Amino acid sequence: MPQSWNAAAIAEKFGIAVADLAIEVIPHSTDGVEYESILLFNKAAPPATGVLAVPNYFGVRQQALEIAAATIGAAHAVFVADVYGKNVRPANPDEALAAIIPLKKDRAELRERMNAALDVFRNQQKIKIAAGKFGACGFCFGGTAALELARSGADVRGTVSLHGALETPAPDASKIKGAVLVLHGVQDPSVPREQVNGFIDEMSAAKIDWQLVNYGQAGHSFTDPDANNPGFFYHRQTAERASVALKSFFGELFA
């Protein structure tokens, strides 16, 4: 992991001064594996709410921090969660796929790592988050991970998936404690309509507070400025709309 970050770029995405940006490396361990997550917040106006954010399949890196800052905003502390281990930092798509495939196959392990990261976020000493004022979100693979955290029964006020896969080996949302918001690009080839319909059935059966927003011009990776492949592409307007939707969602839940 890099020992320094481009604070100016992150602060710009947050909409705050560089001098006001806190970037804290939060080391933690689970089952003998060492992790390093990154906590971001505005020192000048420390928030009392926190959002755990899981990056796309490239994991914790500069771009992941910038995307999280731009999407979530400085109204909340942002905990960019490492779910791979500090020694796993994919450098190309093949390495990134190799990192996520075992976790997508073993959802129990993914849930364990997600809950461990949430516990670390709750217990870190860098900023005080009010009890009951935690949420979670994720991008691409991170969206899948965030939904698995919710399905595990984690105590989060709300969960947001941004262009994440919606399937799960055992679709049962009955343990979900908070609200759920899915921000989905209709042109996403990795999330076919049948998967969307299955998610709708799963959430409806559980009778939880859930929302699904379909963006007609977007596919997978719509928040990723580097994505530029058929079906997997950045869409600035949708990224901005998704940020507004996410901020409104957490603003309502944390009010």
Side-chain angles (χ1 to χ4, degrees):
M1 167 180 277
Q3 296 301 304
S4 61
W5 303 96
N6 185 340
I10 298 168
E12 181 182 3
K13 298 297 183 181
F14 249 157
I16 63 176
V18 177
D20 295 335
L21 174 65
I23 306 176
E24 302 285 353
V25 177
I26 308 295
H28 49 107
S29 63
T30 303
D31 296 332
V33 178
E34 299 293 326
Y35 299 84
E36 283 186 351
S37 297
I38 307 297
L39 177 65
L40 308 172
F41 61 91
N42 183 358
K43 294 183 291 186
T49 55
V51 177
L52 182 151
V54 187
N56 67 15
Y57 70 164
F58 277 104
V60 177
R61 59 176 181 159
Q62 175 70 30
Q63 189 200 62
L65 273 57
E66 292 181 25
I67 292 174
T71 306
I72 300 167
H76 315 292
V78 178
F79 187 82
V80 183
D82 175 13
V83 295
Y84 293 163
K86 70 176 186 178
N87 295 321
V88 180
R89 293 292 183 264
N92 56 59
D94 288 341
E95 291 181 4
L97 282 172
I100 68 169
I101 287 173
L103 292 174
K104 293 200 75 172
K105 289 181 176 179
D106 188 349
R107 298 301 174 96
E109 175 66 19
L110 178 56
R111 291 182 180 192
E112 181 179 346
R113 294 188 188 190
M114 288 294 295
N115 275 281
L118 179 61
D119 286 344
V120 170
F121 188 17
R122 290 187 196 282
N123 294 318
Q124 53 75 33
Q125 300 298 309
K126 302 296 183 180
I127 185 172
K128 176 66 174 177
I129 307 297
K133 294 294 181 74
F134 287 87
C137 73
F139 305 82
C140 298
F141 162 73
T144 302
L147 289 174
E148 290 299 335
L149 176 68
R151 290 182 177 113
S152 76
D155 189 12
V156 289
R157 187 69 64 88
T159 302
V160 182
S161 168
L162 298 102
H163 47 81
L166 307 177
E167 96 292 349
T168 188
D172 178 9
S174 62
K175 292 182 180 178
I176 294 178
K177 294 180 179 178
V180 171
L181 171 64
V182 166
L183 304 173
H184 170 63
V186 171
Q187 300 181 40
D188 186 344
S190 66
V191 184
R193 191 67 54 85
E194 295 75 18
Q195 190 179 124
V196 176
N197 290 338
F199 172 82
I200 290 172
D201 291 343
E202 178 193 4
M203 295 295 127
S204 297
K207 295 181 172 60
I208 65 167
D209 176 5
W210 69 275
Q211 302 172 61
L212 168 66
V213 180
N214 287 305
Y215 297 107
Q217 294 183 317
H220 199 69
S221 307
F222 60 73
T223 63
D224 183 351
D226 292 339
N228 187 27
N229 292 300
F232 300 77
F233 55 89
Y234 175 62
H235 194 263
R236 181 185 59 80
Q237 185 181 53
T238 298
E240 292 173 353
R241 288 173 172 174
S243 176
V244 171
L246 180 146
K247 290 172 180 175
S248 175
F249 177 76
F250 284 124
E252 175 189 336
L253 296 178
F254 292 150

